[in-house]
Amino acid sequence: QDPLGVQARKVSIQGDLEVWAGPLANGDWAVLLLNRSPSTASMTASWDSFGFAMTTTMSVRDVWARKELGNYVGSFSSSVGSHDTVVLRVT
């Protein structure tokens, strides 16, 4: 549990595809891409959906893969398997 203790909120929903985001104590954001659909889908987390300008560059880390994914301007997209999630730390 992050010391800030702020629950993530749903910032985007498109049918069975949901994006959740919440702030962390150090200023980073936890972002979850949740695919409830029966097939793999391309999903996008847009920075403006949780309060940042679309011109903002953010560093993205895949938490479960323990892998830095690079810097992205305005949004991040990923393929998410059926009934799967991608958990990110966005700085």
Side-chain angles (χ1 to χ4, degrees):
Q1 176 69 37
D2 184 70
L4 186 60
V6 175
Q7 180 176 330
R9 63 183 171 85
K10 196 180 312 180
V11 296
S12 173
I13 185 166
Q14 294 179 347
D16 291 331
L17 308 177
E18 300 176 7
V19 178
W20 292 72
L24 301 173
N26 70 347
D28 292 356
W29 283 76
V31 177
L32 172 78
L33 307 177
L34 172 61
N35 178 359
R36 297 179 185 267
S37 78
S39 58
T40 297
S42 177
M43 297 186 66
T44 300
S46 296
W47 304 160
D48 65 342
S49 67
F50 50 100
F52 292 92
M54 289 299 288
T55 55
T56 304
T57 300
M58 302 283 245
S59 174
V60 178
R61 177 178 175 80
D62 183 320
V63 174
W64 288 344
R66 298 180 182 159
K67 181 179 177 185
E68 298 297 331
L69 301 178
N71 295 320
Y72 294 83
V73 178
S75 66
F76 172 80
S77 296
S78 179
S79 178
V80 182
S82 170
H83 302 288
D84 201 0
T85 58
V86 172
V87 180
L88 307 168
R89 185 174 194 119
V90 178
T91 305

